[in-house]
Amino acid sequence: WPAFSDDIDAILALKRERNAVILAHNYQTPEIFHCVADIVGDSLALARRAMEVDADVIVLAGVHFMAETAKLLNPQKTVLIPDLGAGCSLADSITAEDIRLLRQRYPGVPIVTYVNTSAEVKAESDICCTSGNAKAVVESLGVARVIMLPDEYLAQNIAAQTDVEIIAWQGHCEVHERFTPADIRQLREDHPGVSVLAHPECPPEVVAEADFSGSTAAMSDYVGREKPARVVLMTECSMSDNVAVAHPEVDFIRPCDLCPHMKRITLANIRAALEQNRHLVTIDPQVADRARRAVERMLAI
Ligand code: 13P
Ligand code: SF4
């Protein structure tokens, strides 16, 4: 990619100079995902791999909650996020005070918190989950009822797979909430035989009409395993671009939706992050200790 080669060369040199690694989420653009990232994956994989990083500096090419999770799990490292505005509509949908009020309203009911939340919210929670392990986390608690927040649709999609009663919050992902069952029906009409894969942040009626639902890593694995002739990934646009590179024989059908937060990360601001040591991710130590417990409890499952 000649248009990107200046930034790519500079980033590769800066990584060596600063002993840095780049962790990139599956929604990052292909030039980040394929040309400069050292570790790629879904939220769960990025959390696990962040813990094992030996380098001095971690650049998180993803959104802010992912960078916070990396800092929680490897607090001695310098963790940088190239754009502090890379947020998440789910993380913005709930505060630590909301959780304290929920505890008063449902005393004794464990609180399972999606990793797409701030460290302050994690700190008030019993355990975290990701889209890749939510069912296992809920069932690991051995109780009849849990609160699962903030993603209402993820909670409803997990409730459909378990006997555990789930009390949900009303947060939504601004990207996945836009897909509809009518989109799927139209796709099936236009592209006979297409396999439809939906992220569990999609509304339950979308997941019900899909052929498979799973985390971004699970969708990517599905394509590798099942090798569908035609596939549509009902998720963020860069997923198809990134997965398609390894599967030239598979016909990837779009539409897709862009996450404006993920798209704030660019080669230019990754380069600037390494050159100028910005933006440092910091977490109040008192919050960090409690938030880390919730994340580590999840990782122990
Ligand atoms: P995954 O954990 O499935 O990668 O999802 C993260 C995310 O932000 C989805 O919108
Ligand atoms: Fe948040 Fe949705 Fe963007 Fe994922 S895709 S980071 S859940 S807004």
Side-chain angles (χ1 to χ4, degrees):
W1 283 314
F4 299 129
S5 62
D6 257 17
D7 282 332
I8 291 172
D9 289 348
I11 290 168
L12 298 180
L14 282 158
K15 283 201 297 181
R16 284 190 296 274
E17 251 170 61
R18 297 214 48 199
N19 190 21
V21 292
I22 298 177
L23 271 59
H25 184 259
N26 290 328
Y27 293 163
Q28 291 296 292
T29 50
E31 65 276 14
I32 295 174
F33 189 93
H34 292 290
C35 302
V36 299
D38 299 284
I39 295 168
V40 295
D42 65 356
S43 314
L44 183 58
L46 293 182
R48 285 195 192 285
R49 300 291 301 276
M51 217 164 35
E52 299 160 1
V53 166
D54 214 21
D56 297 324
V57 179
I58 296 173
V59 179
L60 203 303
V63 291
H64 193 258
F65 75 80
M66 296 176 178
E68 270 192 340
T69 304
K71 182 71 182 172
L72 283 175
L73 293 171
N74 209 337
Q76 307 312 323
K77 306 299 175 191
T78 296
V79 177
L80 304 175
I81 182 150
D83 186 326
L84 275 174
C88 170
S89 65
L90 282 168
D92 286 345
S93 72
I94 192 155
T95 64
E97 180 57 15
D98 292 328
I99 310 237
R100 288 191 283 270
L101 292 172
L102 278 170
R103 280 215 192 272
Q104 283 172 21
R105 186 157 167 212
Y106 299 102
V109 181
I111 297 185
V112 178
T113 292
Y114 198 26
V115 286
N116 298 38
T117 45
S118 66
E120 286 78 8
V121 166
K122 290 184 176 75
E124 298 295 331
S125 310
D126 294 296
I127 187 165
C128 287
C129 73
T130 73
S131 62
N133 62 14
K135 180 171 180 273
V137 167
V138 164
E139 293 184 344
S140 76
L141 299 172
V143 294
R145 194 157 75 134
V146 303
I147 298 168
M148 189 174 174
L149 46 85
D151 188 347
E152 182 178 26
Y153 297 149
L154 178 69
Q156 291 171 342
N157 286 323
I158 298 302
Q161 303 167 31
T162 179
D163 292 335
V164 180
E165 184 195 338
I166 297 184
I167 301 165
W169 186 250
Q170 61 280 3
H172 299 134
C173 162
E174 68 188 84
V175 177
H176 292 93
E177 71 177 349
R178 296 205 294 263
F179 293 112
T180 68
D183 294 337
I184 300 189
R185 280 176 228 138
Q186 191 64 53
L187 281 161
R188 292 202 195 277
E189 211 178 299
D190 295 345
H191 307 281
V194 69
S195 296
V196 179
L197 280 50
H199 194 276
E201 289 169 9
C202 293
E205 55 279 17
V206 170
V207 169
E209 292 214 18
D211 299 301
F212 175 81
S213 176
S215 75
T216 56
M219 284 193 271
S220 174
D221 291 348
Y222 180 100
V223 174
R225 192 175 61 243
E226 304 293 330
K227 304 218 181 310
R230 292 170 143 184
V231 72
V232 61
L233 306 182
M234 308 208 79
T235 191
E236 215 273 345
C237 299
S238 293
M239 261 300 284
S240 291
D241 300 335
N242 291 332
V243 179
V245 171
H247 303 287
E249 72 288 2
V250 178
D251 184 12
F252 285 81
I253 312 282
R254 274 73 168 181
C256 55
D257 280 331
L258 282 169
C259 172
H261 310 288
M262 288 281 179
K263 296 289 100 97
R264 278 178 173 264
I265 309 299
T266 62
L267 284 177
N269 60 24
I270 291 175
R271 178 178 178 173
L274 284 163
E275 279 169 349
Q276 298 165 35
N277 204 38
R278 71 175 199 201
H279 302 273
L280 278 174
V281 176
T282 56
I283 308 170
D284 175 329
Q286 284 190 354
V287 171
D289 286 345
R290 291 182 297 132
R292 186 178 304 112
R293 264 203 300 276
V295 179
E296 285 180 345
R297 197 171 165 201
M298 165 187 87
L299 293 176
I301 288 171

PDB file of all heavy atoms in Angstrom, residues 25 27 42-44 65-66 114 116 130-131 173 176 199 201 215-216 262, ligand 1:
ATOM      1  N   HIS A  25      -7.638  -4.213  17.496  1.00  0.00           N
ATOM      2  CA  HIS A  25      -8.910  -4.934  17.470  1.00  0.00           C
ATOM      3  C   HIS A  25      -9.266  -5.287  16.022  1.00  0.00           C
ATOM      4  O   HIS A  25      -8.832  -4.626  15.081  1.00  0.00           O
ATOM      5  CB  HIS A  25     -10.023  -4.076  18.117  1.00  0.00           C
ATOM      6  CG  HIS A  25     -11.318  -4.814  18.210  1.00  0.00           C
ATOM      7  ND1 HIS A  25     -12.349  -4.617  17.315  1.00  0.00           N
ATOM      8  CD2 HIS A  25     -11.735  -5.789  19.062  1.00  0.00           C
ATOM      9  CE1 HIS A  25     -13.352  -5.433  17.634  1.00  0.00           C
ATOM     10  NE2 HIS A  25     -13.011  -6.148  18.691  1.00  0.00           N
ATOM     11  N   TYR A  27     -11.702  -4.633  14.339  1.00  0.00           N
ATOM     12  CA  TYR A  27     -12.380  -3.568  13.595  1.00  0.00           C
ATOM     13  C   TYR A  27     -11.426  -2.493  13.091  1.00  0.00           C
ATOM     14  O   TYR A  27     -11.869  -1.480  12.538  1.00  0.00           O
ATOM     15  CB  TYR A  27     -13.437  -2.869  14.468  1.00  0.00           C
ATOM     16  CG  TYR A  27     -14.625  -3.691  14.877  1.00  0.00           C
ATOM     17  CD1 TYR A  27     -15.433  -3.276  15.928  1.00  0.00           C
ATOM     18  CD2 TYR A  27     -14.981  -4.852  14.212  1.00  0.00           C
ATOM     19  CE1 TYR A  27     -16.545  -3.999  16.317  1.00  0.00           C
ATOM     20  CE2 TYR A  27     -16.089  -5.581  14.603  1.00  0.00           C
ATOM     21  CZ  TYR A  27     -16.867  -5.153  15.658  1.00  0.00           C
ATOM     22  OH  TYR A  27     -17.969  -5.865  16.045  1.00  0.00           O
ATOM     23  N   ASP A  42     -10.211 -10.279  19.155  1.00  0.00           N
ATOM     24  CA  ASP A  42     -11.423  -9.719  19.762  1.00  0.00           C
ATOM     25  C   ASP A  42     -11.073  -9.154  21.140  1.00  0.00           C
ATOM     26  O   ASP A  42      -9.904  -9.229  21.574  1.00  0.00           O
ATOM     27  CB  ASP A  42     -12.552 -10.761  19.803  1.00  0.00           C
ATOM     28  CG  ASP A  42     -12.253 -11.959  20.712  1.00  0.00           C
ATOM     29  OD1 ASP A  42     -11.140 -12.042  21.274  1.00  0.00           O
ATOM     30  OD2 ASP A  42     -13.147 -12.821  20.863  1.00  0.00           O
ATOM     31  N   SER A  43     -12.050  -8.638  21.853  1.00  0.00           N
ATOM     32  CA  SER A  43     -11.755  -7.997  23.145  1.00  0.00           C
ATOM     33  C   SER A  43     -11.132  -8.984  24.127  1.00  0.00           C
ATOM     34  O   SER A  43     -10.250  -8.615  24.901  1.00  0.00           O
ATOM     35  CB  SER A  43     -13.024  -7.468  23.810  1.00  0.00           C
ATOM     36  OG  SER A  43     -13.813  -6.793  22.929  1.00  0.00           O
ATOM     37  N   LEU A  44     -11.622 -10.227  24.082  1.00  0.00           N
ATOM     38  CA  LEU A  44     -11.116 -11.223  25.035  1.00  0.00           C
ATOM     39  C   LEU A  44      -9.648 -11.545  24.740  1.00  0.00           C
ATOM     40  O   LEU A  44      -8.812 -11.550  25.649  1.00  0.00           O
ATOM     41  CB  LEU A  44     -11.982 -12.492  24.956  1.00  0.00           C
ATOM     42  CG  LEU A  44     -11.632 -13.600  25.938  1.00  0.00           C
ATOM     43  CD1 LEU A  44     -11.715 -13.107  27.382  1.00  0.00           C
ATOM     44  CD2 LEU A  44     -12.561 -14.805  25.750  1.00  0.00           C
ATOM     45  N   PHE A  65     -12.007   1.661  26.235  1.00  0.00           N
ATOM     46  CA  PHE A  65     -12.149   0.617  27.267  1.00  0.00           C
ATOM     47  C   PHE A  65     -11.129  -0.501  27.041  1.00  0.00           C
ATOM     48  O   PHE A  65     -10.690  -1.150  27.997  1.00  0.00           O
ATOM     49  CB  PHE A  65     -13.592   0.094  27.346  1.00  0.00           C
ATOM     50  CG  PHE A  65     -14.015  -0.827  26.233  1.00  0.00           C
ATOM     51  CD1 PHE A  65     -13.658  -2.172  26.236  1.00  0.00           C
ATOM     52  CD2 PHE A  65     -14.792  -0.359  25.180  1.00  0.00           C
ATOM     53  CE1 PHE A  65     -14.052  -3.026  25.213  1.00  0.00           C
ATOM     54  CE2 PHE A  65     -15.193  -1.210  24.157  1.00  0.00           C
ATOM     55  CZ  PHE A  65     -14.815  -2.538  24.178  1.00  0.00           C
ATOM     56  N   MET A  66     -10.730  -0.731  25.807  1.00  0.00           N
ATOM     57  CA  MET A  66      -9.741  -1.779  25.526  1.00  0.00           C
ATOM     58  C   MET A  66      -8.368  -1.361  26.058  1.00  0.00           C
ATOM     59  O   MET A  66      -7.616  -2.180  26.607  1.00  0.00           O
ATOM     60  CB  MET A  66      -9.668  -2.051  24.020  1.00  0.00           C
ATOM     61  CG  MET A  66     -10.969  -2.611  23.476  1.00  0.00           C
ATOM     62  SD  MET A  66     -10.945  -2.838  21.686  1.00  0.00           S
ATOM     63  CE  MET A  66     -12.578  -3.557  21.463  1.00  0.00           C
ATOM     64  N   TYR A 114     -20.171  -6.195  30.963  1.00  0.00           N
ATOM     65  CA  TYR A 114     -19.494  -6.331  29.669  1.00  0.00           C
ATOM     66  C   TYR A 114     -18.202  -5.506  29.726  1.00  0.00           C
ATOM     67  O   TYR A 114     -18.181  -4.421  30.328  1.00  0.00           O
ATOM     68  CB  TYR A 114     -20.442  -5.764  28.610  1.00  0.00           C
ATOM     69  CG  TYR A 114     -20.179  -6.160  27.182  1.00  0.00           C
ATOM     70  CD1 TYR A 114     -19.539  -7.339  26.827  1.00  0.00           C
ATOM     71  CD2 TYR A 114     -20.631  -5.337  26.155  1.00  0.00           C
ATOM     72  CE1 TYR A 114     -19.341  -7.679  25.491  1.00  0.00           C
ATOM     73  CE2 TYR A 114     -20.452  -5.670  24.819  1.00  0.00           C
ATOM     74  CZ  TYR A 114     -19.793  -6.846  24.499  1.00  0.00           C
ATOM     75  OH  TYR A 114     -19.602  -7.176  23.186  1.00  0.00           O
ATOM     76  N   ASN A 116     -17.060  -3.663  27.645  1.00  0.00           N
ATOM     77  CA  ASN A 116     -17.277  -2.362  26.983  1.00  0.00           C
ATOM     78  C   ASN A 116     -17.815  -1.347  27.989  1.00  0.00           C
ATOM     79  O   ASN A 116     -18.919  -0.819  27.851  1.00  0.00           O
ATOM     80  CB  ASN A 116     -18.294  -2.509  25.836  1.00  0.00           C
ATOM     81  CG  ASN A 116     -17.847  -3.444  24.746  1.00  0.00           C
ATOM     82  OD1 ASN A 116     -17.233  -4.464  25.018  1.00  0.00           O
ATOM     83  ND2 ASN A 116     -18.152  -3.118  23.503  1.00  0.00           N
ATOM     84  N   THR A 130     -17.071 -10.837  28.056  1.00  0.00           N
ATOM     85  CA  THR A 130     -16.997 -10.299  26.700  1.00  0.00           C
ATOM     86  C   THR A 130     -18.061 -11.029  25.880  1.00  0.00           C
ATOM     87  O   THR A 130     -18.708 -11.960  26.386  1.00  0.00           O
ATOM     88  CB  THR A 130     -15.615 -10.537  26.047  1.00  0.00           C
ATOM     89  OG1 THR A 130     -15.518 -11.925  25.721  1.00  0.00           O
ATOM     90  CG2 THR A 130     -14.464 -10.138  26.952  1.00  0.00           C
ATOM     91  N   SER A 131     -18.174 -10.669  24.613  1.00  0.00           N
ATOM     92  CA  SER A 131     -19.147 -11.377  23.774  1.00  0.00           C
ATOM     93  C   SER A 131     -18.700 -12.825  23.573  1.00  0.00           C
ATOM     94  O   SER A 131     -19.507 -13.682  23.242  1.00  0.00           O
ATOM     95  CB  SER A 131     -19.304 -10.674  22.424  1.00  0.00           C
ATOM     96  OG  SER A 131     -18.072 -10.685  21.746  1.00  0.00           O
ATOM     97  N   CYS A 173     -25.212  -0.877  21.327  1.00  0.00           N
ATOM     98  CA  CYS A 173     -24.108  -0.499  20.448  1.00  0.00           C
ATOM     99  C   CYS A 173     -24.704   0.271  19.273  1.00  0.00           C
ATOM    100  O   CYS A 173     -25.581  -0.250  18.574  1.00  0.00           O
ATOM    101  CB  CYS A 173     -23.375  -1.749  19.963  1.00  0.00           C
ATOM    102  SG  CYS A 173     -22.382  -1.384  18.507  1.00  0.00           S
ATOM    103  N   HIS A 176     -24.316  -1.922  15.914  1.00  0.00           N
ATOM    104  CA  HIS A 176     -25.071  -3.169  15.724  1.00  0.00           C
ATOM    105  C   HIS A 176     -26.573  -2.990  15.882  1.00  0.00           C
ATOM    106  O   HIS A 176     -27.345  -3.801  15.367  1.00  0.00           O
ATOM    107  CB  HIS A 176     -24.541  -4.228  16.697  1.00  0.00           C
ATOM    108  CG  HIS A 176     -23.145  -4.658  16.366  1.00  0.00           C
ATOM    109  ND1 HIS A 176     -22.039  -4.067  16.927  1.00  0.00           N
ATOM    110  CD2 HIS A 176     -22.680  -5.579  15.492  1.00  0.00           C
ATOM    111  CE1 HIS A 176     -20.950  -4.628  16.430  1.00  0.00           C
ATOM    112  NE2 HIS A 176     -21.309  -5.548  15.554  1.00  0.00           N
ATOM    113  N   HIS A 199     -23.063 -10.408  15.032  1.00  0.00           N
ATOM    114  CA  HIS A 199     -22.458 -10.204  16.347  1.00  0.00           C
ATOM    115  C   HIS A 199     -23.569 -10.176  17.404  1.00  0.00           C
ATOM    116  O   HIS A 199     -24.664  -9.661  17.129  1.00  0.00           O
ATOM    117  CB  HIS A 199     -21.680  -8.869  16.358  1.00  0.00           C
ATOM    118  CG  HIS A 199     -20.778  -8.744  17.538  1.00  0.00           C
ATOM    119  ND1 HIS A 199     -21.225  -8.294  18.755  1.00  0.00           N
ATOM    120  CD2 HIS A 199     -19.456  -9.027  17.696  1.00  0.00           C
ATOM    121  CE1 HIS A 199     -20.203  -8.299  19.619  1.00  0.00           C
ATOM    122  NE2 HIS A 199     -19.112  -8.743  18.986  1.00  0.00           N
ATOM    123  N   GLU A 201     -24.146  -8.295  19.732  1.00  0.00           N
ATOM    124  CA  GLU A 201     -24.652  -6.951  20.077  1.00  0.00           C
ATOM    125  C   GLU A 201     -25.817  -6.555  19.164  1.00  0.00           C
ATOM    126  O   GLU A 201     -26.428  -5.502  19.361  1.00  0.00           O
ATOM    127  CB  GLU A 201     -23.534  -5.914  19.966  1.00  0.00           C
ATOM    128  CG  GLU A 201     -22.490  -6.046  21.058  1.00  0.00           C
ATOM    129  CD  GLU A 201     -21.255  -5.197  20.796  1.00  0.00           C
ATOM    130  OE1 GLU A 201     -21.258  -4.373  19.870  1.00  0.00           O
ATOM    131  OE2 GLU A 201     -20.257  -5.389  21.521  1.00  0.00           O
ATOM    132  N   SER A 215     -18.661 -13.702  18.824  1.00  0.00           N
ATOM    133  CA  SER A 215     -17.750 -12.551  18.929  1.00  0.00           C
ATOM    134  C   SER A 215     -17.048 -12.343  17.588  1.00  0.00           C
ATOM    135  O   SER A 215     -17.136 -13.185  16.683  1.00  0.00           O
ATOM    136  CB  SER A 215     -16.709 -12.815  20.010  1.00  0.00           C
ATOM    137  OG  SER A 215     -15.740 -13.734  19.529  1.00  0.00           O
ATOM    138  N   THR A 216     -16.308 -11.274  17.464  1.00  0.00           N
ATOM    139  CA  THR A 216     -15.604 -11.023  16.203  1.00  0.00           C
ATOM    140  C   THR A 216     -14.632 -12.172  15.899  1.00  0.00           C
ATOM    141  O   THR A 216     -14.514 -12.608  14.755  1.00  0.00           O
ATOM    142  CB  THR A 216     -14.865  -9.669  16.231  1.00  0.00           C
ATOM    143  OG1 THR A 216     -13.974  -9.643  17.347  1.00  0.00           O
ATOM    144  CG2 THR A 216     -15.845  -8.514  16.326  1.00  0.00           C
ATOM    145  N   MET A 262     -13.960   3.422  16.521  1.00  0.00           N
ATOM    146  CA  MET A 262     -12.836   2.604  16.036  1.00  0.00           C
ATOM    147  C   MET A 262     -12.103   3.330  14.902  1.00  0.00           C
ATOM    148  O   MET A 262     -10.887   3.237  14.778  1.00  0.00           O
ATOM    149  CB  MET A 262     -13.368   1.265  15.509  1.00  0.00           C
ATOM    150  CG  MET A 262     -13.844   0.326  16.598  1.00  0.00           C
ATOM    151  SD  MET A 262     -12.429  -0.475  17.379  1.00  0.00           S
ATOM    152  CE  MET A 262     -13.267  -1.476  18.609  1.00  0.00           C
TER     153      MET A 262
HETATM  154  P1  13P B   1     -15.605  -8.450  20.320  1.00  0.00           P
HETATM  155  O1  13P B   1     -15.233  -8.705  21.734  1.00  0.00           O
HETATM  156  O2  13P B   1     -16.526  -9.505  19.765  1.00  0.00           O
HETATM  157  O3  13P B   1     -14.392  -8.257  19.482  1.00  0.00           O
HETATM  158  O4  13P B   1     -16.482  -7.128  20.242  1.00  0.00           O
HETATM  159  C1  13P B   1     -16.009  -5.884  20.630  1.00  0.00           C
HETATM  160  C2  13P B   1     -16.865  -4.807  20.159  1.00  0.00           C
HETATM  161  O5  13P B   1     -16.681  -3.657  20.457  1.00  0.00           O
HETATM  162  C3  13P B   1     -17.971  -5.187  19.298  1.00  0.00           C
HETATM  163  O6  13P B   1     -18.660  -4.079  18.897  1.00  0.00           O
END
